[in-house]
Amino acid sequence: MADRIEHVPTTLFTGFFGTGKTTAIISMLARKPAGEKWAILINEFGEVAVDQAAVPAEDETVAIKEIPGGCLCCMMNVPLKVAVVDILRRARPDRLIIEPTGIGHPAGILDQLRDEELAEAVSLRSVICLVDPRHVDDPRLEAAQVYQDQIHLADVLVAAKADLASADELAKFHDWAGSLFPPKLLVTESRHGDLDLALLDLNPAETRAPLFPNAHDHDHSTSALEANVAPEPGAPVRLENSGAGYQGCGWIFSDAEVFDRDALLDLLGPPGLTGLPKDAAVERLKGVFHTNDGWLLADRVGNEITVKEIAYRRDSRLEVIVAETVDADWDALKAALNAARQT
């Protein structure tokens, strides 16, 4: 049939919070061959979608679909199938890239992409996993089964943010990556998110089985205002989510609100964050804001924050993710955010 969709090259990008998956995808989009149409499927842990704001807006060559509120792998399988079929039918792309949340277990996604309902529509290529080479021996990551399986199930292992790592850290990464079994198809590095487009056409050498097949069997719970409630000035829509040992809280602000850039960055930047205990780690903070000095994207992992201008022009929004054990005072953070608005 003329309208049949078959064998769309499909690449899964995995990696824990803050390894630069979205940055790598943005870099690839900027270098994609002229005339090709790509589809991007993004899934975030938090209920407030921020990543799509960081990706260039849809046009005739790029289609984007974002699914907030948990990881595709641990939902009822239906959301992934529906999302893939929807974006393939809508965009009819030459290539599909899937970016799950940082705590998404790849096994469930891979199972669904190989299932007979999708296997004919997509042509699954090598799984690419991004790792921060500075943290390969972080005991908190080593203890996370999802992290271990992200590494184990990857065909290609990338030392992301290599521009921020020392020569010793990169050497340690390569020693560690070279000791993994079964060996990777390719171990490489990326700087500033740049990855060789040829990686998207690598085929997996074999089908790898997860070490922890039940690691993604967990529940996500949402207790918040409905997403279709319009935010009012001073009363942003708040959405919360928890699961897999993490909790997230996000806000969507009225599009009429403008933040004071300096006050906002003082609030969001390290070392601490209002509403969290002093010793609590910020696993991930990402937000887009309309400020008195233009629109910006703030992206924080631990005590590192990057800020850059962004083309997004809709509303200000923020998502913060911390460990589920952290006693977070989200009301205090909301008050501080309101205080950072321009008066």
Side-chain angles (χ1 to χ4, degrees):
M1 294 177 61
D3 61 348
R4 194 175 186 87
I5 300 172
E6 295 181 314
H7 311 307
V8 176
T10 299
T11 300
L12 180 63
F13 274 80
T14 67
F16 224 64
F17 291 131
T19 52
K21 299 186 296 296
T22 303
T23 301
I25 291 171
I26 292 172
S27 173
M28 286 186 156
L29 283 173
R31 295 177 286 119
K32 73 177 183 64
E36 281 193 7
K37 182 163 190 177
W38 288 15
I40 314 296
L41 181 59
I42 302 173
N43 180 226
E44 296 187 58
F45 174 79
E47 293 289 335
V48 174
V50 178
D51 277 343
Q52 187 171 344
V55 178
E58 283 194 337
D59 59 26
E60 65 277 5
T61 67
V62 178
I64 303 167
K65 185 177 183 66
E66 187 164 33
I67 305 176
C71 50
L72 288 171
C73 62
C74 61
M75 290 195 280
M76 292 292 293
N77 296 334
V78 176
L80 174 60
K81 292 178 181 177
V82 170
V84 170
V85 170
D86 174 72
I87 200 167
L88 291 180
R89 286 178 175 170
R90 175 166 61 90
R92 307 194 71 81
D94 299 292
R95 188 177 300 279
L96 171 64
I97 295 176
I98 300 176
E99 180 199 343
T101 174
I103 56 169
H105 196 296
I109 299 175
L110 292 170
D111 285 347
Q112 293 307 308
L113 292 175
R114 294 183 181 119
D115 186 79
E116 61 182 1
E117 293 184 48
L118 292 179
E120 189 172 302
V122 303
S123 176
L124 188 60
R125 304 300 168 88
S126 292
V127 177
I128 300 174
C129 180
L130 276 60
V131 176
D132 191 326
R134 300 169 296 171
H135 302 151
V136 293
D137 55 358
D138 185 330
R140 292 196 315 144
L141 290 179
E142 290 178 337
Q145 294 179 345
V146 167
Y147 171 78
Q148 292 184 53
D149 262 346
Q150 287 177 350
I151 303 298
H152 180 68
L153 294 172
D155 302 293
V156 177
L157 206 57
V158 180
K161 301 185 177 181
D163 49 302
L164 302 178
S166 67
D168 287 345
E169 288 168 333
L170 288 173
K172 182 184 292 186
F173 165 82
H174 283 285
D175 287 344
W176 165 76
S179 70
L180 298 173
F181 185 84
K184 299 304 174 190
L185 185 65
L186 179 67
V187 176
T188 187
E189 301 175 4
S190 71
R191 288 165 173 78
H192 309 291
D194 289 343
L195 281 175
D196 189 343
L197 292 180
L199 296 181
L200 299 178
D201 287 320
L202 289 178
N203 291 313
E206 59 184 69
T207 299
R208 303 169 188 264
L211 298 172
F212 306 99
N214 297 319
H216 59 290
D217 288 347
H218 58 267
D219 296 324
H220 288 279
S221 60
T222 302
S223 58
L225 296 173
E226 294 298 326
N228 60 359
V229 175
E232 299 290 338
V237 171
R238 172 169 149 183
L239 298 168
E240 297 180 39
N241 194 31
S242 65
Y246 293 89
Q247 58 178 314
C249 186
W251 292 268
I252 302 174
F253 298 87
S254 166
D255 57 10
E257 294 184 295
V258 179
F259 288 82
D260 181 275
R261 179 188 175 98
D262 292 337
L264 180 68
L265 295 183
D266 284 344
L267 169 62
L268 300 182
L273 185 66
T274 299
L276 302 183
K278 289 184 179 180
D279 59 347
V282 176
E283 303 293 343
R284 195 69 200 272
L285 179 155
K286 183 176 280 191
V288 288
F289 296 93
H290 186 192
T291 77
N292 57 343
D293 191 27
W295 287 80
L296 61 83
L297 168 70
D299 191 347
R300 176 177 170 183
V301 181
N303 284 334
E304 293 181 353
I305 187 169
T306 58
V307 179
K308 62 182 180 181
E309 295 180 357
I310 192 169
Y312 177 84
R313 296 289 187 276
R314 199 168 72 197
D315 52 38
S316 298
R317 49 184 56 208
L318 172 70
E319 181 73 35
V320 180
I321 299 172
V322 298
E324 206 164 27
T325 54
V326 170
D327 184 15
D329 185 348
W330 300 124
D331 289 332
L333 181 53
K334 172 191 170 184
L337 288 163
N338 280 336
R341 292 176 299 162
Q342 186 180 37
T343 59

